[in-house]
Amino acid sequence: MTNLLLFPILIPILTASVLLFFPKRVAAQRAVTVVGLVASIIAALFLLRTVMTDGVQAVTLGSWPAPFGISMVSDPLSVSLVLTSLLITLGVVVYSFRSIGEGREKYFYYPAILFMLTGINGSFTTGDIFNLFVFFEVLLLASYLLIVLGGEKRQLRESIKYILVNVVSSAFFVTTVAMLYSVVGSLNMADIAEKVTEIGQSGILTVIAVMLILVFGLKGAIFPLYFWLPGSYAAPPVPVLALFGALLTKVGVYAIIRTVTLLFPHDPGFTHELLMILAILTVIAGCIGALAYYDLKQIVIYNIIIAVGVILFGVAQMNMAGLEGAVFYLIHDMLIKAGLFMLIGVIIAITGTSNLREMGGLMKTYPGLAWTWLVAAFGLAGIPPLSGFFGKLLIVQGAFEADNLWGGIIILASSLIVLLSVIRIFIHAFWGEPMPVKGTSAGIYRGLLIPAVLVTALTVFYGVGTEWLRPLMWDAAEILHQPSIYIDAVLKE
Amino acid sequence: MSVIIGFLFMAAVYLILSRSLLRVIIGTGLLSHGAHLLILTMGGFAGPAPPVVADGVTDYVDPLPQALILTAIVISFGVTAFFLVMAYRAYQELETDNMTLLKGNDEHD
């Protein structure tokens, strides 16, 4: 089955196309979406096994030889990202049953999620830079629909800004691809990487590398380019926010990782130094935001920005420890952000507000929610048995090996602030005097809490099963560290 | 050609930074024109014949940038259509097209 690596892209797009035919039949929409997602997860698991046993999978569409057709490449990093996004989407879809409301479900909510998933999985799997642009547009267009669906005033206001920022960054992406094409004359990433090695990374290629960091940094919210994110992400309803927070910025992060490790690893003195400085500034900016707000959504949104900085800091070290830590942390962060957003959705459903000052004492009435939140908060901060620990340990180790002492210390200090920001939610919302709450029916509470608990449980397994996942992450980091493995797998003839 | 593209980018940036939403959308239109022309320019203008297989013609213009532009054009067309409808809806709901009035926070955050 050479086409196995296309199944996680094809199954969602086919399911979404089928869903377009009966938008008003909500029960059927839900059932078909879940079936499609489960089928994609099974395909992704098979793909994971194949990649682990047989190495990097590459297929060039239409059986053209490698640099001429569009290559799709599945290496351990991309397949684990694909599997993670599928699992998160399944969790969020089940969560949506109880929270999104029929009005939205009847207007193409599930097809939009599946089209966005197609774009995300495609971006993770593609081996062609212009194809990456197209998949970016697929996921962005679906995300424009998801962010504005419902048409509340706040959504309209914020989605205009979101669309504008993304239109500009897409135009920038096209410009960058044009310049890259004029220098190397190829669009296949492996082929570009080989040609860049041959001609040496001249000044113009470094400029292009910085432009790509700029483009993907706008998608992935790094330091001077994150300004659009807090406002835009606070606008849509919670399940959409969970999907965006867990998946969208991580696509930009993945694209940066791919670019700086595969295409432009030859001038680390400039590009990686720049990336490292930006990453540290991103962490600091995120920390300031996470402490500044008394709003549940904003606190977790600024935690996304911190995590993006931490991951890119790990990548900028360019040694095995840093890269492996970045991969570990990337997947941990996708899972834990989905879990956190789903949990704050439960809190908002109970209290009817996202303002921390207007809630308190939920521990007595909702103990399950409280303990789950505590586990997720400790996982986010990286308390040892939980999922955030090992990635950050490796990133800090990588920083010390690369003699970036202060960078490592800032990353460690940021963990404390992350912990403080989420524990503040715990103290304000769950401890103290019980405040009058809006309340919610037991059915809705269970329907929201169960998927949130399952996603949180997944992060706990991820943390406890580190030893078991290590070979996968090691392989992923090795390919990032030695791009020749990737290039040989694609240009095998 | 690059001077023209530079001018388009300049005009686009100026319009995107203006207050009226429609001027912003016109700016994004100019920006995508600039980007598409840039792909064409960066592909080079060598080769006089159009990229169609015909007898006796050996010197074609590079067909790849044209395919890229075609893709980029339909994508930006779709996004622009969506953006225009969004602007229309926003005008109906919020009753303004002034970007500086769109920043309010009606909630506590």
Side-chain angles (χ1 to χ4, degrees):
Chain A
M1 287 270 277
T2 48
N3 288 336
L4 182 62
L5 79 163
L6 297 178
F7 281 14
I9 306 168
L10 291 179
I11 298 174
I13 200 172
L14 283 178
T15 318
S17 314
V18 170
L19 287 175
L20 294 179
F21 287 104
F22 44 87
K24 306 292 176 204
R25 296 170 62 184
V26 173
Q29 291 265 321
R30 292 175 174 178
V32 174
T33 309
V34 170
V35 169
L37 283 172
V38 170
S40 325
I41 289 172
I42 292 168
L45 283 170
F46 271 109
L47 178 61
L48 180 68
R49 211 187 57 185
T50 318
V51 170
M52 283 308 287
T53 49
D54 304 343
V56 181
Q57 299 289 305
V59 62
T60 306
L61 303 180
S63 305
W64 294 87
F68 301 113
I70 289 175
S71 296
M72 303 298 272
V73 189
S74 236
D75 67 346
L77 173 60
S78 69
V79 71
S80 39
L81 288 169
V82 164
L83 185 60
T84 315
S85 12
L86 285 167
L87 288 170
I88 289 170
T89 313
L90 182 62
V92 172
V93 162
V94 174
Y95 186 86
S96 305
F97 293 169
R98 291 285 178 192
S99 71
I100 198 75
E102 284 220 342
R104 286 191 170 92
E105 281 178 305
K106 281 180 180 167
Y107 285 91
F108 304 102
Y109 175 71
Y110 295 114
I113 286 185
L114 288 171
F115 278 126
M116 192 169 91
L117 192 63
T118 310
I120 290 166
N121 285 349
S123 309
F124 287 147
T125 315
T126 188
D128 182 288
I129 192 113
F130 194 77
N131 196 235
L132 179 67
F133 165 73
V134 175
F135 275 123
F136 262 36
E137 289 302 310
V138 171
L139 76 89
L140 285 174
L141 263 170
S143 75
Y144 300 156
L145 174 60
L146 283 175
I147 200 172
V148 79
L149 189 64
E152 295 160 17
K153 279 189 177 167
R154 185 175 192 190
Q155 283 181 299
L156 282 167
R157 210 170 54 211
E158 295 301 335
S159 47
I160 285 178
K161 296 166 196 167
Y162 178 73
I163 293 180
L164 181 61
V165 166
N166 280 302
V167 166
V168 171
S169 91
S170 297
F172 223 75
F173 195 0
V174 172
T175 314
T176 315
V177 169
M179 291 174 69
L180 186 59
Y181 179 70
S182 79
V183 177
V184 296
S186 176
L187 293 171
N188 187 306
M189 289 197 210
D191 198 31
I192 295 173
E194 202 174 51
K195 287 192 166 124
V196 170
T197 317
E198 273 170 28
I199 60 179
Q201 192 166 331
S202 51
I204 184 74
L205 280 168
T206 306
V207 171
I208 292 171
V210 172
M211 282 176 75
L212 280 175
I213 289 178
L214 207 70
V215 169
F216 298 138
L218 260 172
K219 317 262 183 203
I222 63 176
F223 162 62
L225 310 167
Y226 72 92
F227 54 88
W228 55 273
L229 186 131
S232 302
Y233 277 22
V238 171
V240 177
L241 170 61
L243 272 184
F244 281 20
L247 304 180
L248 285 195
T249 53
K250 306 306 180 297
V251 183
V253 172
Y254 166 80
I256 292 182
I257 295 177
R258 203 40 102 199
T259 325
V260 299
T261 57
L262 178 65
L263 305 184
F264 303 108
H266 306 293
D267 187 11
F270 186 74
T271 45
H272 293 68
E273 194 78 27
L274 175 73
L275 193 61
M276 189 168 76
I277 293 167
L278 289 181
I280 289 176
L281 290 173
T282 311
V283 170
I284 294 172
C287 285
I288 294 171
L291 289 183
Y293 283 92
Y294 267 89
D295 183 283
L296 288 176
K297 286 184 184 175
Q298 292 295 337
I299 291 173
V300 187
I301 285 171
Y302 275 100
N303 272 301
I304 300 177
I305 297 174
I306 300 176
V308 166
V310 171
I311 295 163
L312 289 178
F313 180 79
V315 174
Q317 306 310 316
M318 281 307 268
N319 51 25
M320 271 309 275
L323 286 169
E324 198 190 354
V327 175
F328 252 109
Y329 204 77
L330 178 57
I331 291 171
H332 142 76
D333 190 62
M334 291 168 78
L335 289 168
I336 198 88
K337 286 289 145 52
L340 284 174
F341 279 120
M342 287 155 92
L343 286 170
I344 65 169
V346 184
I347 300 178
I348 292 172
I350 292 168
T351 59
T353 171
S354 67
N355 189 344
L356 272 182
R357 291 197 182 94
E358 293 169 18
M359 55 181 75
L362 292 177
M363 183 72 125
K364 289 203 178 83
T365 33
Y366 299 96
L369 176 63
W371 293 114
T372 319
W373 177 268
L374 196 65
V375 170
F378 283 166
L380 180 72
I383 308 275
L386 299 167
S387 59
F389 169 67
F390 198 62
K392 211 171 256 178
L393 175 72
L394 282 173
I395 288 176
V396 171
Q397 185 193 336
F400 289 164
E401 277 173 17
D403 285 334
N404 292 319
L405 186 64
W406 283 107
I409 290 174
I410 289 174
I411 298 297
L412 286 175
S414 79
S415 304
L416 290 177
I417 295 182
V418 166
L419 185 63
L420 176 61
S421 70
V422 281
I423 285 302
R424 228 165 42 121
I425 296 181
F426 185 77
I427 291 172
H428 278 277
F430 294 105
W431 284 355
E433 286 298 303
M435 296 271 220
V437 295
K438 192 180 66 137
T440 180
S441 78
I444 290 180
Y445 173 65
R446 267 201 306 276
L448 293 179
L449 188 63
I450 287 170
V453 168
L454 287 180
V455 172
T456 313
L458 209 60
T459 69
V460 175
F461 286 127
Y462 184 82
V464 176
T466 303
E467 195 64 38
W468 185 63
L469 291 162
R470 188 89 198 269
L472 178 69
M473 303 300 171
W474 178 265
D475 286 357
E478 187 156 40
I479 288 171
L480 294 179
H481 198 234
Q482 293 174 352
S484 56
I485 306 174
Y486 183 98
I487 298 170
D488 290 343
V490 179
L491 305 171
K492 44 184 171 266
E493 277 84 30
Chain B
M1 210 48 180
S2 8
V3 176
I4 299 171
I5 295 164
F7 188 81
L8 278 175
F9 277 169
M10 184 192 78
V13 169
Y14 176 73
L15 285 173
I16 286 174
L17 292 177
S18 64
R19 270 190 189 180
S20 154
L21 187 52
L22 271 182
R23 285 165 69 96
V24 171
I25 297 179
I26 294 172
T28 61
L30 287 183
L31 190 65
S32 53
H33 282 322
H36 300 157
L37 281 175
L38 188 75
I39 307 181
L40 196 67
T41 316
M42 287 300 183
F45 295 116
V52 181
V53 179
D55 284 338
V57 184
T58 51
D59 199 9
Y60 297 109
V61 71
D62 188 352
L64 191 61
Q66 301 193 5
L68 302 187
I69 293 168
L70 195 56
T71 315
I73 285 174
V74 292
I75 289 174
S76 70
F77 182 69
V79 174
T80 308
F82 192 87
F83 201 1
L84 277 169
V85 175
M86 280 268 310
Y88 177 61
R89 282 285 296 143
Y91 181 69
Q92 280 182 326
E93 287 281 325
L94 307 168
E95 291 165 354
T96 176
D97 74 333
N98 188 337
M99 289 295 274
T100 49
L101 296 181
L102 286 178
K103 70 181 171 191
N105 272 319
D106 45 14
E107 279 152 51
H108 42 75
D109 44 317

